[in-house]
Amino acid sequence: MRGPEGAPVQQCTGATRQRAENLTDRLAAEAVRTRIDWKYLLGLSLDDPGFDHTVLAEFRGRVAGAGLEQVVLDALLARMAAAGLVKAGGKQRTDSTHVVAAVAALNRLELAGESVRAAAEALAAAHPHWLAERICVTDWTRRYGTSMTSWRPPGSQAARDELALAYARDGYALLEAVCGPVSPAWLRELPAVDVLRRVLLQNYTRVIGQDGREVIKRREKEPEGSGLPPGHARIASPYDTDARWAVKRDKLWLGYKLHRACQIFCVS
């Protein structure tokens, strides 16, 4: 254990005892030098000088780099099963745990507006002159200058529907400008631009009517509407594309469901 060439079994045992006692690398190395119980556990003589604390970090790095995290546990279980100490009990899924995302909860109207605002801010940071040449800064500042959750939306449903379509028109116009032939190609690779594209696709339909005019409509649930994507695929926030609305009994939250599938062993 005096260096990186020390016995892997000793290094693994030392790291396990370190975790059990919640010690830093320096304190664990000091325990090897000064404590009899650690020397006994690691099979070291009483006068063994121990090792430098960096050995533990190097050992963890080698284990993680080789993907060996599960090897020791599998070997231990195999030995215990061969000795008749444990037996397989099958697989069992534990109950799901809800995890709340660190983002504001948005309704569909706020999601559309906030996605446009996030894309515009990303473009302004990446290429401010390009953005200023393609939008009316005064109008956009009035509509997207603050977060969608910082002001109260219109009271009537008709006004909210019109605002939702205005967000869609602004979003499509922004995407068309980004994808235009005179725009830098790298602007299309900005994550916020791709999120805006996906939010518009999931929440709106855009077709050319018989009169040649563009028609934008909000998607609604089937069978009356054009259909919304399933909840597990629908973006709920432009700032965390993995967060989803979830429900468990009487609990509704925006975030994640944490599931853990574990192997159950029965002690003989």
Side-chain angles (χ1 to χ4, degrees):
M1 287 284 287
R2 293 194 181 93
E5 69 280 0
V9 173
Q10 288 180 314
Q11 293 176 342
C12 181
T13 304
T16 303
R17 184 64 181 267
Q18 175 190 6
R19 177 62 182 271
E21 297 190 18
N22 194 28
L23 300 178
T24 64
D25 289 351
R26 291 182 182 273
L27 290 178
E30 182 66 18
V32 174
R33 285 191 292 271
T34 60
R35 288 174 50 177
I36 295 178
D37 57 335
W38 274 67
K39 291 183 182 293
Y40 178 79
L41 179 67
L42 299 176
L44 302 175
S45 62
L46 293 178
D47 59 351
D48 192 292
F51 57 91
D52 189 80
H53 68 90
T54 58
V55 170
L56 290 169
E58 293 170 358
F59 172 71
R60 291 193 299 268
R62 293 199 304 272
V63 170
L68 300 177
E69 299 91 336
Q70 191 69 22
V71 172
V72 175
L73 177 60
D74 291 342
L76 175 63
L77 291 176
R79 291 289 296 274
M80 295 178 68
L85 298 176
V86 297
K87 61 182 180 181
K91 289 185 177 181
Q92 178 176 322
R93 167 162 284 184
T94 62
D95 196 11
S96 62
T97 300
H98 76 272
V99 180
V100 179
V103 292
L106 305 173
N107 57 39
R108 288 184 63 196
L109 175 64
E110 293 168 340
L111 172 63
E114 194 65 25
S115 298
V116 177
R117 192 175 83 91
E121 287 194 346
L123 289 166
H127 201 328
H129 298 298
W130 177 90
L131 185 66
E133 292 174 354
R134 284 159 179 80
I135 67 170
C136 178
V137 176
T138 302
D139 290 345
W140 277 62
T141 300
R142 176 175 51 83
R143 184 171 292 170
Y144 302 107
T146 59
S147 169
M148 298 298 113
T149 59
S150 64
W151 58 278
R152 181 173 298 178
S156 70
Q157 184 61 49
R160 290 196 296 271
D161 291 344
E162 178 56 36
L163 184 58
L165 295 180
Y167 288 152
R169 287 191 291 267
D170 288 344
Y172 284 125
L174 195 60
L175 290 180
E176 288 177 357
V178 169
C179 297
V182 298
S183 298
W186 58 268
L187 290 179
R188 308 169 198 174
E189 300 176 6
L190 294 176
V193 172
D194 181 62
V195 170
L196 174 59
R197 179 190 62 80
R198 292 164 60 190
V199 168
L200 292 176
L201 179 64
Q202 292 182 354
N203 289 275
Y204 296 90
T205 60
R206 187 189 189 197
V207 298
I208 302 299
Q210 295 182 350
D211 58 356
R213 298 178 61 183
E214 180 183 74
V215 179
I216 299 175
K217 293 183 179 180
R218 296 184 74 187
R219 292 185 181 273
E220 301 297 344
K221 294 181 179 179
E222 296 177 334
E224 292 82 5
S226 54
L228 287 168
H232 66 82
R234 196 184 316 161
I235 294 175
S237 169
Y239 305 111
D240 188 344
T241 56
D242 293 326
R244 296 290 184 269
W245 283 105
V247 61
K248 181 179 177 182
R249 293 187 288 274
D250 59 345
K251 182 70 174 180
L252 175 67
W253 73 95
L254 174 61
Y256 321 90
K257 283 184 179 179
L258 179 63
H259 295 275
R260 293 185 63 189
C262 57
Q263 181 78 34
I264 305 300
F265 289 89
C266 302
V267 178
S268 298

